[in-house]
Amino acid sequence: MSFSIDALRAKPDDKINLSKIDTNATPGWDTDDRAGAEARTLELNTELERLQEVMWAQGTKRLLVVLQAMDAGGKDGTIRHVFDGVNPTGVRVASFKKPSERELAHDYLWRIHAEVPGNGEMVIFNRSHYEDVLVVRVFDLVPKQRWKQRYEHIRHFEELLVDEGTTIIKIMLHISKAEQKERLQDRLDKPHKHWKFDVGDLAMRERWDDFMEAFEDAINETSTESAPWYVIPADRKWYRDLAISEIMVQTMAKMDLDFPPSDDLEGITIPD
Ligand code: AMP
Ligand code: MG
């Protein structure tokens, strides 16, 4: 059984309003059927492993997955669960932190372009160029006149990647402010999670509404047919993992993945 990922996709003509999207909902799946969802996610994971192997063997297609969320939104958990078991040879995670001095001395897409997938590769962006219209906008790190122009740059940049053979999936993990509080509290309460706690996250949390507005604009400005955004209700981790696994498998199923031709192997014998 699979569900339509279409309902999660931000259509180019839509104007999404994040406050109207229930972060606790499970569109396409029975909210009480967590066990069924977990079983289905495991099946999808096996299929994802298979598709990724074919993509790597084929060596011509490229896949970029962009993950964005508020702090504690579940980016790390998604990477651990959804991509569990894929062959690390063909898969890479690129995490974008506060830009270094060297990075700041270049345009904001410079460090991004350097990490995009090559032939056969799948790359997961843990944060991305979207930080340059999210945190940068909310904290006035560049003047408005500069970040405003970036939506257009980003549309063009992603179009370039698509035109040159990259498939792009952009995912926003949408959690509620109350859910974030619980998860941050959990990081404080559990010593083995202290390393994840960053006091700086509290300053971001204070600006929650501004971040939601920035996310809405980013999604509305840059969700295109070829580089769509998906907004995933992510308070329930099991639903988040299921939905993203579906998006991965359904997208890859349309990528014309196939093992490379092997007809020139006919007649070869292996010498003793
Ligand atoms: P984390 O992903 O939790 O390790 O945190 C990385 C931090 O780097 C987050 O607070 C991001 O908002 C911040 N960050 C990422 N990219 C940028 C950027 N282009 N400008 C400013 N801060 C950024
Ligand atoms: Mg953090």
Side-chain angles (χ1 to χ4, degrees), residues 135-167:
V135 67
V136 166
R137 161 175 165 166
V138 171
F139 288 99
D140 293 316
L141 302 183
V142 306
K144 179 170 186 180
Q145 162 229 339
R146 285 212 13 232
W147 60 252
K148 271 256 168 200
Q149 300 173 314
R150 292 181 172 178
Y151 302 115
E152 193 179 357
H153 301 157
I154 291 174
R155 282 193 299 269
H156 283 134
F157 171 63
E158 292 177 353
E159 196 183 337
L160 159 79
L161 297 178
V162 170
D163 286 351
E164 293 287 321
T166 303
T167 297

Side-chain angles (χ1 to χ4, degrees), residues 200-251:
D201 294 352
L202 299 180
M204 311 262 185
R205 179 174 166 79
E206 253 181 55
R207 304 292 300 275
W208 186 273
D209 292 343
D210 297 323
F211 268 101
M212 289 305 112
E213 207 181 314
F215 263 109
E216 274 171 10
D217 283 348
I219 293 167
N220 288 330
E221 290 279 351
T222 66
S223 200
T224 60
E225 283 299 335
S226 55
W229 273 103
Y230 293 88
V231 178
I232 312 295
D235 282 359
R236 295 175 202 265
K237 296 173 182 171
W238 61 262
Y239 176 76
R240 169 199 78 195
D241 293 343
L242 170 68
I244 297 172
S245 300
E246 284 284 5
I247 291 168
M248 290 302 303
V249 166
Q250 293 186 33
T251 302

Side-chain angles (χ1 to χ4, degrees), residues 32-123:
D32 295 325
D33 185 23
R34 174 175 173 167
E38 286 171 347
R40 175 70 185 146
T41 301
L42 277 180
E43 278 175 21
L44 288 164
N45 181 257
T46 304
E47 181 60 6
L48 179 65
E49 275 178 52
R50 188 189 72 77
L51 288 162
Q52 188 266 324
E53 191 194 29
V54 177
M55 184 166 89
W56 179 244
Q58 187 177 29
T60 55
K61 308 283 166 53
R62 309 161 182 170
L63 179 57
L64 174 61
V65 183
V66 170
L67 283 182
Q68 285 287 164
M70 294 297 283
D71 294 300
K75 297 188 302 296
D76 296 320
T78 297
I79 293 168
R80 268 201 318 277
H81 291 117
V82 174
F83 300 94
D84 185 37
V86 292
N87 179 356
T89 306
V91 181
R92 192 155 55 78
V93 177
S95 299
F96 296 96
K97 309 281 183 187
K98 258 194 184 130
S100 67
E101 262 189 53
R102 184 166 150 76
E103 286 167 346
L104 279 175
H106 295 78
D107 70 82
Y108 66 98
L109 291 173
W110 180 75
R111 66 173 183 163
I112 307 294
H113 207 162
E115 297 288 352
V116 301
N119 286 342
E121 243 192 331
M122 177 191 298
V123 174

Side-chain angles (χ1 to χ4, degrees), residues 71 127 187 196 198 201:
D71 294 300
R127 304 187 190 269
R187 290 180 178 181
K196 279 193 163 195
D198 179 353
D201 294 352

